[in-house]
Amino acid sequence: VRVGVLGVGTISRCVLEGVCKAFLAGQRAEGVEEKIYISARSSANASALAEGYPNNIEIKTNEEIVSLCDWVVVSVRPEQVEELCKTLSFREEQIILNFVSACLTEEKAKEVFSPVKRIVRISPWPCSKNRLGPVLVLNSSGEDLENFLSLFGDVVKVDTMDQFISMQSGSCFMAPFYQALESITTWLESENIEREKASLFVGSLVNAFAVDAKLQGGNGFAKITEESQTPGGMNAQALEKLQSAGAFDALQGALTSLVERV
């Protein structure tokens, strides 16, 4: 199976970095070639990938990618899709890996990628470059594809577009999360802690929290929330203060607004 990528923006660059790191570590998806063909969109990203991973990345034109490849990643902005695809001749047996925003509906995707029958909607995240984080999948084409996707993250499959949109929206605490870390760091600075020490401390602490969070698997986080506090203790006080201020209701409200936006 040959893989090609149309559009090398931030997300697809991160995915490609993750895949190439997997290849360099001796991991691969059976049946998938270790040479990936990419277009020159955002030429700085494409050039950096080709220079950094010369054995795994090769730049081709859009037309060459569609002609050569069995799986075609499409990773452009929604308003660019029609313009991109109208000059390309896809084949019915190809598989489109659709990285385009959910603003591109399933119906519209079928139209612009015609005559392709199998269109898999995928949402990776920037942490893919470190082979971390979820890879959200709708309409999976099967185990071979999922093995490839697992090279750069944890595959999470959903059954409907509504679920896909909700999961994507649920991920959008990323910027608020980092801002919360920055808020803690600046608070520590106000307590006469040097910024470098504060940042290292907070980053290390959150890394440990993240490991524990992943170990919860499919059980949710109510139990670990309970275990992380002592009645009347400092963690319990901090949690109660935030709950009383409506912080978590505000977070859910922000996520709901994103679903409504799409």
Side-chain angles (χ1 to χ4, degrees):
V1 174
R2 286 180 177 169
V3 180
V5 180
L6 302 177
V8 187
T10 299
I11 291 297
S12 51
R13 174 181 59 79
C14 290
V15 165
L16 287 163
E17 283 189 42
V19 172
C20 289
K21 287 174 182 177
F23 289 159
L24 290 175
Q27 298 179 32
R28 61 189 304 271
E30 188 171 351
V32 177
E33 292 186 8
E34 294 186 30
K35 174 79 75 175
I36 297 178
Y37 302 98
I38 68 173
S39 68
R41 175 183 172 258
S42 183
S43 56
N45 282 341
S47 298
L49 287 165
E51 291 171 11
Y53 305 99
N55 295 324
N56 302 114
I57 299 291
E58 184 174 334
I59 296 175
K60 295 282 189 183
T61 66
N62 292 341
E63 292 78 8
E64 288 172 327
I65 288 170
V66 172
S67 175
L68 282 168
C69 296
D70 306 291
W71 297 351
V72 180
V73 174
V74 179
S75 184
V76 297
R77 293 190 295 273
E79 65 271 18
Q80 297 174 320
V81 176
E82 283 193 81
E83 186 67 24
L84 170 71
C85 293
K86 71 181 184 182
T87 61
L88 301 174
S89 299
F90 294 108
R91 303 186 304 277
E92 183 175 334
E93 71 275 10
Q94 286 176 308
I95 297 177
I96 296 292
L97 310 185
N98 178 17
F99 281 24
V100 182
S101 159
C103 295
L104 180 72
T105 66
E106 290 290 272
E107 293 72 21
K108 191 64 176 178
K110 291 175 183 177
E111 178 185 327
V112 296
F113 299 133
S114 178
V116 175
K117 299 297 184 186
R118 290 184 290 177
I119 302 169
V120 185
R121 188 177 289 272
I122 299 171
S123 182
W125 277 266
C127 47
S128 295
K129 67 183 178 183
N130 296 317
R131 305 181 62 204
L132 295 171
V135 184
L136 189 60
V137 181
L138 175 65
N139 304 326
S140 173
S141 64
E143 187 176 346
D144 288 346
L145 174 61
E146 291 165 25
N147 287 340
F148 173 71
L149 299 178
S150 68
L151 292 176
F152 56 88
D154 298 318
V155 175
V156 178
K157 296 187 287 184
V158 294
D159 301 318
T160 68
M161 188 62 179
D162 284 345
Q163 291 177 343
F164 190 92
I165 291 170
S166 294
M167 293 282 269
Q168 271 197 323
S169 300
S171 79
C172 293
F173 66 91
M174 181 165 56
F177 169 77
Y178 289 125
Q179 183 58 52
L181 302 190
E182 177 62 16
S183 181
I184 295 168
T185 301
T186 55
W187 178 81
L188 286 170
E189 285 185 282
S190 75
E191 295 288 310
N192 298 316
I193 308 295
E194 294 175 11
R195 182 172 180 80
E196 182 180 3
K197 290 181 181 178
S199 181
L200 288 169
F201 173 78
V202 172
S204 179
L205 198 60
V206 169
N207 181 65
F209 294 166
V211 171
D212 269 349
K214 187 171 182 181
L215 290 174
Q216 302 310 301
N219 297 317
F221 305 99
K223 183 179 179 182
I224 197 172
T225 300
E226 192 65 31
E227 291 174 347
S228 68
Q229 54 185 306
T230 302
M234 296 172 74
N235 274 287
Q237 180 178 329
L239 178 61
E240 182 180 355
K241 186 77 172 176
L242 289 168
Q243 287 173 328
S244 297
F248 303 110
D249 290 337
L251 175 59
Q252 291 189 345
L255 300 178
T256 299
S257 74
L258 299 175
V259 173
E260 292 169 348
R261 171 180 169 179
V262 177

